[in-house]
Amino acid sequence: MLPHDFQPDCYQTLLERKVESVRALLAPVTELEPTVFASPKSGFRMRAEFRVWHANDRLFLAMFDPAEPRMPIEITQYPFGSIAIQSRLEPLVDALNQSDVLKRKLFQLEFLTTTTGECLLTLIYHRALDSDWEEQATALGIALDCKMIGRSRKQKIVLSDEYVSEQLKIHDESYYYRHYEQGFTQPNASINQSMIEWVSAQVGDTERDLLELYCGLGNFSIPLTRRFRYVLATEVSKSSVKAAQENIALNQIDTLNIIRLNAAETAQAIRGDREFRRLANSQRPLQTYQFDSILVDPPRAGLDADSLQLASTIPTIIYISCNPETLTRDLIQLSDTHEIVKWAVFDQFPYTHHTECGVILRRRPS
């Protein structure tokens, strides 16, 4: 998002247009009205990345308009970012400009912050980093109250932790997460909390089990253990699985099992088409689960054929989507076996055309 995209006075109108666009897309599969969750108008992004532009002896933070990709736009304020990001921009740029060691061949920086105010700053270079860099970056981290990481080709220097600690309150219960540098996290913390609470309210309490595909670091899985007997969650990324395991331990949960399989492999394992060594140390055998719900939060490409087939066999489907086009495509296929009973629009990405949706489907009577 560029500075001219910030239009807080137009926010409601922009949101209504977005909702109308998604409503039109989903018209072939539902006539229901969505519940709409608005974002805070500013300070909503927990992470941000900026290019670093060098002009003569000075550097500044930059973004680029796709229409003029060679013309850097200087960023002096970033109202989309969390307070933790906004408050550090000016002193960070000042400090970098005062240090030849820190600014030399620096080309990008990344912020990762939390609702609790923690901040991790990654500085990325086109040169090898040495002890002089470590000394000055350590001092910068202290001055900015930031955890610091330096990166260059084949080099990563962690000066403190490589994660920030997040706390989310879901229906008056607190949950704790480690968000790792360069790992996937939901960018809009307020909307993320709304999504989790909405899903939790829709599923209610059950004595049966939940299957989650694309679980990431346990964002949904961990709070949903309150609603289900057992939760089996799958994720292909090793780093995300590691983070999820740590988050399970932080929350002292013993009813959630994370396995490293992609969505198609999970479907094959549950059908019994293939055996996977990665299941050998699973806390519970697959055949002991009684799934009455499945939660899917796929990438923009949507669900693959195996995942769609698997979802069609489970009574309740919770579909979280960042792409209404592929969501509509998948819902048309799932409409053979399921019907939409609730759906919602979450404005995860204000001032853009991107939209996050949540859909609850129940199996049609046979």
Side-chain angles (χ1 to χ4, degrees):
M1 288 178 285
L2 298 170
H4 62 254
D5 294 322
F6 185 60
Q7 306 171 65
D9 293 342
C10 301
Y11 175 76
Q12 191 58 38
T13 299
L14 294 170
L15 176 58
E16 288 170 3
R17 289 176 186 167
K18 188 180 294 191
V19 171
E20 185 54 41
S21 175
V22 180
R23 186 188 286 115
L25 269 175
L26 267 64
V29 289
T30 184
E31 296 179 352
L32 297 175
E33 287 296 307
T35 304
V36 178
F37 293 88
S39 170
K41 294 179 182 179
S42 64
F44 50 82
R45 280 197 67 92
M46 294 294 108
R47 62 178 198 247
E49 64 180 49
F50 302 94
R51 288 292 302 274
V52 175
W53 199 259
H54 297 258
N56 299 321
D57 214 21
R58 169 182 171 267
L59 63 71
F60 59 86
L61 305 186
M63 288 185 168
F64 295 84
D65 188 332
E68 296 187 67
R70 294 173 183 249
M71 295 291 294
I73 299 170
E74 182 171 358
I75 305 298
T76 57
Q77 297 181 340
Y78 191 65
F80 314 105
S82 67
I83 296 301
I85 294 173
Q86 293 187 48
S87 65
R88 289 172 170 88
L89 285 185
E90 184 177 349
L92 170 61
V93 172
D94 287 346
L96 292 174
N97 273 309
Q98 291 170 25
S99 169
D100 290 337
V101 170
L102 291 179
K103 74 180 181 182
R104 185 164 65 88
K105 295 195 176 180
L106 173 66
F107 75 93
Q108 185 167 310
L109 59 85
E110 299 172 355
F111 282 100
L112 177 62
T113 65
T114 68
T115 59
T116 60
E118 284 198 12
C119 178
L120 190 157
L121 175 62
T122 302
L123 303 179
I124 307 174
Y125 291 83
H126 282 312
R127 69 175 178 89
L129 304 178
D130 56 19
S131 59
D132 287 342
W133 179 89
E134 290 191 39
E135 180 180 348
Q136 295 204 26
T138 298
L140 176 62
I142 293 170
L144 295 178
D145 189 21
C146 261
K147 299 178 180 183
M148 298 291 297
I149 293 177
R151 284 185 175 272
S152 65
R153 190 169 182 267
K154 296 184 179 180
Q155 190 178 23
K156 175 182 176 182
I157 299 176
V158 179
L159 296 179
S160 51
D161 297 321
E162 56 184 322
Y163 62 83
V164 286
S165 297
E166 179 63 288
Q167 178 181 349
L168 296 180
K169 186 158 274 192
I170 308 298
H171 296 311
D172 297 323
E173 293 275 354
S174 290
Y175 297 92
Y176 304 91
Y177 300 86
R178 287 180 177 176
H179 289 177
Y180 275 85
E181 184 249 4
Q182 296 198 342
F184 176 77
T185 56
Q186 298 287 350
N188 188 322
S190 175
I191 288 296
N192 183 43
Q193 180 173 313
S194 295
M195 289 196 300
I196 298 170
E197 289 188 335
W198 182 79
V199 169
S200 180
Q202 301 312 311
V203 298
D205 295 317
T206 174
E207 291 302 312
R208 301 194 76 183
D209 306 326
L210 170 70
L211 173 64
E212 181 180 359
L213 309 183
Y214 312 95
C215 75
L217 52 72
N219 182 60
F220 285 100
S221 324
I222 288 170
L224 289 177
T225 57
R226 301 284 187 184
R227 297 297 197 181
F228 293 90
R229 186 183 65 147
Y230 295 106
V231 177
L232 176 66
T234 69
E235 170 60 50
V236 69
S237 163
K238 287 184 178 180
S239 59
S240 292
V241 169
K242 174 181 179 289
Q245 298 289 12
E246 292 179 3
N247 293 333
I248 290 170
L250 282 173
N251 290 278
Q252 300 180 334
I253 290 170
D254 59 9
T255 58
L256 170 57
N257 187 16
I258 305 284
I259 55 176
R260 194 174 66 82
L261 295 176
N262 66 31
E265 290 170 337
T266 303
Q268 294 159 13
I270 289 174
R271 289 197 305 263
D273 295 348
R274 289 179 61 188
E275 293 185 1
F276 294 89
R277 284 188 188 177
R278 284 164 279 171
L279 293 176
N281 296 322
S282 178
Q283 294 172 4
R284 297 176 56 82
L286 282 183
Q287 59 269 27
T288 65
Y289 287 94
Q290 298 176 22
F291 298 119
D292 73 352
S293 299
I294 181 171
L295 189 154
V296 296
D297 185 5
R300 292 186 60 78
L303 294 175
D304 59 78
D306 280 316
S307 302
L308 278 167
Q309 190 281 328
L310 173 60
S312 71
T313 67
I314 296 177
T316 297
I317 303 170
I318 306 126
Y319 196 140
I320 305 296
S321 171
C322 61
N323 185 344
E325 286 83 7
T326 55
L327 170 65
T328 302
R329 178 201 69 198
D330 292 344
L331 291 177
I332 289 171
Q333 185 159 338
L334 290 169
S335 65
D336 291 339
T337 54
H338 289 69
E339 62 181 341
I340 296 170
V341 296
K342 293 269 187 180
W343 72 288
V345 173
F346 303 97
D347 198 16
Q348 176 95 254
F349 311 99
Y351 311 111
T352 77
H353 69 278
H354 296 295
T355 310
E356 194 99 0
C357 297
V359 182
I360 307 294
L361 303 99
R362 309 275 189 209
R363 180 183 288 157
R364 295 182 185 277
S366 52

